[in-house]
Amino acid sequence: MKNDSLKSYYDDVIVRYFIYATLTWGVIAFIVGLWAALQLAFWKFNFDLEWLTFGRMRPLHTNAAIFAFGGNAIFAGIYHSTQRLCKTRMYSDFLSKIHFWGWQAIIVGAAITLPLGLSQSKEYAELEWPLDIGIALIWVIFAYNFFATLLRRKEKHIYVAIWFYIATIITVAVLHIVNSIEIPVSLFKSYPVYAGIQDAMVQWWYGHNAVAFFLTTPFLGLMYYYIPKAANRPVYSYRLSIVHFWALIFIYIWAGPHHLLNTSLPDWAQNLGMIFSVMLWAPSWGGMINGLLTLRGSWHLLRTEPVIKFLVTAVTFYGMSTFEGPLLSIKSVSALGHYTDWIIAHVHGGTLGWNGFLTFGMIYYLIPKLFDTKLYSKKLATVHFWVGLFGILTYYLSMWAAGITQGLMWQAIDASGKLVYPEFIDTVTRIVPLYMVRALGGSLYIVGALIMVYNLFKTIKGSAHGAIKVPVAAPFEHRETGEKETIHRKLEGMAVTFSVLSFIAIAVGSAIEIIPTLSMHEYIRTEAEIRPYSPLELAGRDIYIREGCYTCHSQMIRKLPFDVLRFGKASTIEESMYDRPFQWGSKRTGPDLSRVGKRYPHLWHFRHMLNPRDVIEGSIMPNYPWLYTKNTEFHSLRRKLSVMSQLGVPYHEKEVAEADRLAEMEAMVIANELKEQGARGEHLEQKEIVALIAYLQALGQLKK
Amino acid sequence: MKKEALSLFGHGDLILFSFLLFFVTFIGVLIWAFRKNQVKFYNQMASMHLEKVKEPNHHE
């Protein structure tokens, strides 16, 4: 009996939970981002604490922003709109709760492990294997609950928003699982089964499509629900939305290689990525136009309704980002923009403008509805809007200017064929003032968000009856035609067919790009040309990964004259074929390191890592004092080498069996050289800094 | 065998093939979406979210 009556109401408790989580994690994610940004403007901002350095904060920021803020926001919207579009309560309240608490537990896990340096160093997939398994489990529970709700829906037809949710759920599962195939070494350390170029390809297929299927498709679903709802208008063109949907998901999945333009990735893959990225412009704008034109006849709302202000601006930012994205995917533009802050500008236009503002608009719409009241203050919401918008523009313009300035400086070659700015640091100090401006922009955005939290708090406090229960509405069909409950099998069939078709649409592109890449090692001569890392170098490499050096350093010299002039011969596929995970990087706040080996004596690195400003005036690289006190984990090396050799790295059996002893011997040699050169310190050979130096000196030196 | 096949597969052909695949899908979707006699259905779908719900009256 009790259950029956429950079923006649929507489950909005879960919606409110997800909204509160969105707000909480949102503010945290933004503050962590600001903190990371401040470290680039003022290097001292990490207080020499390892947990707070840029390399560990940056993954925390991106994961929190995408999965904690973005994730909870889309779940709130999906749970709210799906029930209303299906005219039924969620299939299981229990599963909804597991989804909610499970997801928050994963976020807490991330917030603990990432500052500790437990990271796979694959962007937006940094979490180690136990958390990866957790994510997969919770996602499956969410999917089960969602599809079961869909199958018992009372509405015959599936509204376009739900198609976008379906594509999201299926594709994120595929992306996460394929990209996370790794072999554990210990409880919090694993090596991916992919190496070098294969890892790069899979990772950016994942990375790009995390943007596509975590930050785009679900938000488009929300757009198709909340914009018409808030404006009380029908969707501008339902036909366009069909074309939008299929074209978008079909094309998006191919675009990953645009993150690897001009690298050693074979041309066919680069060109595919470029062509499909440029094509992506069309469906993206189709969707934007459809969203905006839905407001035709209601434009006056833009002046009076903060909700509409946020939603419309969000869609406008979507249009801007999806114009800029294809532009940046053109090889020659990428040559300028890649590795610079232009990309950071681009990303934040998308996240702060599109995802952030859409979320804010949705929440401003939802909270008064869920509490059957009016927003406490429209004025404050409007203030939030303007402060936030000004923050985004400040952020965007400063990073855009920083990126293009630095990109042009890297490219500048004089008449005699020499680099105009041969000292990398000169291209850094030039843009540091812009890092300060960026931090200001971020601060404004946070102020706006805090105003919202206050406004919502007051709204909830002031509601006359608290949270309300909304009865499930009668389905459309029944009222139109008077039909009874229709043939269920057929409905189920539709949802399943639809899901299968979506899966095929994303699987085709994935397969065509990834399968040839995965068989590439069969045609190259890695073993003949390159030696694997020695045990000590491997230990150093894992320190490099732990510290998140990839967040500031690339290890990929592109096939571009100015890259080659600055850093040496273009990187080859073979050179990173033993790299698990690959460390090609995506941002050069510091110089490329793929050929840094043997460029400087050990002592240079020894001093540089302790305080970079000791050797390079004006450097913004953090100090790494803890590397001088912590001991290298020699004992885990046997296990590490054995996993590597299982994965096909050609280590001798003897090497694996004696890995720790070999590493200690190597360390002794380097420590002695350091002492000869004048370094001081007790038991240097045991310290992590020595392992890291061994690794840095091996970079670009592995050719047989 | 698989090795040879894969080494041949690639380069320009792959791009052309992918593009054609997209093109065919796209045209298919267009034709499907713009079928005639669907106007009423589309109008109905376009305002699906707008149906009036009963006024909420029960409090938690």
Side-chain angles (χ1 to χ4, degrees):
Chain A
M1 249 337 264
K2 183 174 169 278
N3 230 0
D4 261 6
S5 68
L6 202 64
K7 286 259 177 298
S8 55
Y9 295 93
Y10 296 127
D11 178 9
D12 286 338
V13 177
I14 197 71
V15 179
R16 293 200 303 272
Y17 275 22
F18 275 119
I19 292 178
Y20 301 151
T22 306
L23 295 172
T24 312
W25 293 121
V27 170
I28 293 174
F30 304 155
I31 290 177
V32 174
L34 176 62
W35 204 330
L38 282 169
Q39 295 187 24
L40 296 189
F42 312 96
W43 65 270
K44 281 189 171 158
F45 248 88
N46 59 40
F47 312 115
D48 277 357
L49 292 174
E50 53 178 307
W51 313 282
L52 301 183
T53 42
F54 185 85
R56 299 193 192 182
M57 285 296 244
R58 194 264 188 180
L60 183 64
H61 164 61
T62 50
N63 279 281
I66 301 172
F67 301 110
F69 172 64
N72 279 305
I74 60 186
F75 298 143
I78 289 177
Y79 276 94
H80 176 259
S81 59
T82 300
Q83 296 184 80
R84 278 145 178 96
L85 289 167
C86 291
K87 305 291 182 315
T88 183
R89 193 181 174 93
M90 287 307 293
Y91 167 73
S92 157
D93 289 9
F94 179 65
L95 292 182
S96 305
K97 286 222 171 69
I98 296 192
H99 175 202
F100 177 81
W101 288 111
W103 195 255
Q104 312 315 315
I106 290 165
I107 296 170
V108 172
I112 294 170
T113 55
L114 291 174
L116 289 177
L118 304 170
S119 161
Q120 297 193 50
S121 80
K122 293 174 65 154
E123 286 180 62
Y124 329 127
E126 280 94 347
L127 299 180
E128 265 299 349
W129 67 272
L131 288 168
D132 275 347
I133 293 175
I135 294 169
L137 284 178
I138 295 298
W139 199 261
V140 168
I141 287 170
F142 167 46
Y144 185 84
N145 199 14
F146 176 86
F147 283 109
T149 309
L150 214 56
L151 293 185
R152 62 147 69 165
R153 71 188 185 278
K154 300 290 174 351
E155 193 70 77
K156 182 167 170 197
H157 298 293
I158 302 180
Y159 182 66
V160 53
I162 293 190
W163 305 355
F164 281 98
Y165 304 158
I166 292 177
T168 301
I169 293 174
I170 293 175
T171 314
V172 169
V174 174
L175 292 168
H176 172 68
I177 291 169
V178 173
N179 188 43
S180 303
I181 305 179
E182 60 232 10
I183 307 221
V185 177
S186 63
L187 183 56
F188 282 110
K189 176 76 194 164
S190 63
Y191 291 128
V193 294
Y194 317 105
I197 189 168
Q198 301 169 336
D199 199 30
M201 184 70 188
V202 172
Q203 158 61 26
W204 284 113
W205 164 81
Y206 163 88
H208 183 73
N209 288 303
V211 174
F213 289 89
F214 209 91
L215 297 177
T216 307
T217 52
F219 282 91
L220 284 171
L222 301 180
M223 171 189 95
Y224 273 117
Y225 185 76
Y226 290 102
I227 289 196
K229 195 90 185 155
N232 205 19
R233 308 264 328 165
V235 172
Y236 170 64
S237 163
Y238 203 77
R239 285 186 155 139
L240 183 56
S241 72
I242 296 175
V243 180
H244 174 205
F245 175 81
W246 288 107
L248 192 87
I249 67 162
F250 188 97
I251 299 179
Y252 236 131
I253 202 85
W254 301 75
H258 71 212
H259 290 257
L260 301 170
L261 295 179
N262 302 306
T263 66
S264 59
L265 188 75
D267 277 341
W268 66 263
Q270 294 194 28
N271 290 338
L272 256 183
M274 176 168 100
I275 292 171
F276 275 84
S277 301
V278 173
M279 278 159 56
L280 202 45
W281 177 73
S284 302
W285 273 44
M288 170 187 73
I289 288 168
N290 212 2
L292 290 180
L293 287 187
T294 295
L295 286 168
R296 75 200 180 290
S298 307
W299 287 110
H300 59 278
L301 294 176
L302 196 53
R303 253 183 297 120
T304 52
E305 293 304 316
V307 170
I308 300 286
K309 273 195 176 72
F310 275 106
L311 296 178
V312 165
T313 311
V315 177
T316 313
F317 271 108
Y318 174 64
M320 219 181 78
S321 303
T322 54
F323 177 75
E324 192 178 39
L327 183 72
L328 280 164
S329 306
I330 298 170
K331 270 189 183 174
S332 53
V333 183
S334 168
L336 173 65
H338 192 46
Y339 297 132
T340 76
D341 287 303
W342 187 356
I343 309 302
I344 315 298
H346 171 60
V347 174
H348 285 82
T351 46
L352 301 177
W354 159 239
N355 303 122
F357 270 28
L358 198 91
T359 300
F360 300 153
M362 176 183 89
I363 295 179
Y364 277 125
Y365 169 84
L366 280 176
I367 288 286
K369 284 268 183 294
L370 295 176
F371 287 87
D372 192 25
T373 181
K374 281 204 160 53
L375 189 65
Y376 168 70
S377 164
K378 271 195 190 179
K379 217 182 214 149
L380 276 182
T382 309
V383 172
H384 172 196
F385 174 79
W386 288 111
V387 172
L389 183 63
F390 192 66
I392 301 176
L393 293 177
T394 310
Y395 190 114
Y396 181 82
L397 291 174
S398 59
M399 285 302 91
W400 191 75
I404 292 182
T405 305
Q406 198 179 31
L408 289 173
M409 288 175 89
W410 290 346
Q411 286 194 354
I413 298 178
D414 65 18
S416 65
K418 291 212 186 81
L419 292 170
V420 178
Y421 304 96
E423 297 302 326
F424 189 89
I425 189 66
D426 294 340
T427 74
V428 177
T429 44
R430 178 72 68 91
I431 59 173
V432 166
L434 290 165
Y435 285 149
M436 298 175 189
V437 178
R438 181 254 301 266
L440 177 76
S443 309
L444 288 173
Y445 196 80
I446 296 175
V447 169
L450 292 174
I451 294 175
M452 171 179 72
V453 171
Y454 172 76
N455 201 356
L456 295 174
F457 176 77
K458 293 296 265 185
T459 307
I460 294 171
K461 271 268 149 179
S463 71
H465 0 257
I468 53 163
K469 281 162 76 177
V470 181
V472 171
F476 204 75
E477 295 290 305
H478 292 200
R479 270 168 297 152
E480 287 281 289
T481 59
E483 254 178 90
K484 295 246 171 59
E485 290 260 329
T486 35
I487 342 118
H488 264 281
R489 284 299 319 162
K490 202 176 151 205
L491 305 189
E492 289 171 16
M494 289 279 284
V496 174
T497 314
F498 183 86
S499 306
V500 171
L501 284 175
S502 312
F503 176 76
I504 293 174
I506 61 129
V508 170
S510 308
I512 292 183
E513 283 186 349
I514 289 179
I515 293 173
T517 317
L518 288 189
S519 52
M520 194 157 1
H521 60 279
E522 296 178 22
Y523 323 113
I524 54 176
R525 303 175 55 245
T526 311
E527 274 192 44
E529 289 189 10
I530 307 289
R531 71 163 174 86
Y533 293 105
S534 74
L536 187 68
E537 289 159 6
L538 187 67
R541 188 167 201 277
D542 285 338
I543 295 169
Y544 185 95
I545 288 167
R546 182 189 76 198
E547 297 305 337
C549 309
Y550 69 95
T551 60
C552 284
H553 290 288
S554 62
Q555 286 189 21
M556 168 49 65
I557 303 171
R558 294 171 296 173
K559 297 174 189 149
L560 296 168
F562 58 90
D563 249 30
V564 172
L565 270 177
R566 188 178 296 278
F567 301 118
K569 215 167 87 6
S571 302
T572 64
I573 297 178
E574 290 83 359
E575 283 173 308
S576 52
M577 238 17 231
Y578 296 132
D579 285 8
R580 296 170 195 266
F582 79 114
Q583 290 292 302
W584 292 8
S586 64
K587 178 69 175 63
R588 281 182 188 156
T589 300
D592 186 275
L593 296 181
S594 46
R595 301 208 184 283
V596 81
K598 304 266 156 79
R599 187 175 300 157
Y600 305 106
H602 296 334
L603 186 65
W604 189 92
H605 289 293
F606 190 83
R607 292 176 57 203
H608 183 251
M609 295 303 299
L610 189 59
N611 179 2
R613 283 141 296 275
D614 237 17
V615 274
I616 304 284
E617 206 189 310
S619 177
I620 59 171
M621 178 164 143
N623 299 342
Y624 287 92
W626 55 93
L627 300 180
Y628 297 73
T629 52
K630 283 192 169 181
N631 287 339
T632 304
E633 263 191 39
F634 291 108
H635 64 85
S636 60
L637 281 171
R638 262 182 281 176
R639 174 107 184 94
K640 285 182 175 174
L641 262 75
S642 116
V643 170
M644 283 290 186
S645 63
Q646 275 170 39
L647 287 167
V649 181
Y651 285 118
H652 291 293
E653 256 171 60
K654 238 182 110 195
E655 229 175 334
V656 176
E658 300 185 1
D660 45 349
R661 207 179 51 82
L662 290 172
E664 279 166 354
M665 277 160 49
E666 283 178 79
M668 195 58 94
V669 174
I670 295 180
N672 286 340
E673 283 179 34
L674 274 170
K675 278 185 192 142
E676 277 165 29
Q677 293 166 3
R680 267 180 288 165
E682 296 271 297
H683 299 298
L684 276 187
E685 68 283 355
Q686 291 174 11
K687 304 301 174 209
E688 289 190 333
I689 184 64
V690 168
L692 183 63
I693 291 176
Y695 171 62
L696 291 173
Q697 297 291 29
L699 289 172
Q701 300 291 325
L702 298 174
K703 260 208 150 62
K704 279 187 177 166
Chain B
M1 193 33 209
K2 183 183 130 227
K3 198 164 159 178
E4 277 92 71
L6 280 169
S7 67
L8 289 174
F9 196 54
H11 320 284
D13 327 345
L14 196 55
I15 297 175
L16 193 66
F17 170 74
S18 311
F19 184 72
L20 283 178
L21 195 68
F22 163 73
F23 198 65
V24 169
T25 313
F26 183 71
I27 298 292
V29 172
L30 269 188
I31 294 173
W32 188 73
F34 285 84
R35 279 168 307 165
K36 288 219 174 93
N37 69 41
Q38 293 287 317
V39 181
K40 182 162 168 280
F41 169 69
Y42 284 138
N43 285 342
Q44 190 184 328
M45 287 304 288
S47 33
M48 188 167 176
H49 55 279
L50 290 178
E51 301 159 57
K52 264 262 161 275
V53 280
K54 279 181 247 161
E55 282 307 308
N57 44 10
H58 297 260
H59 304 304
E60 272 175 327

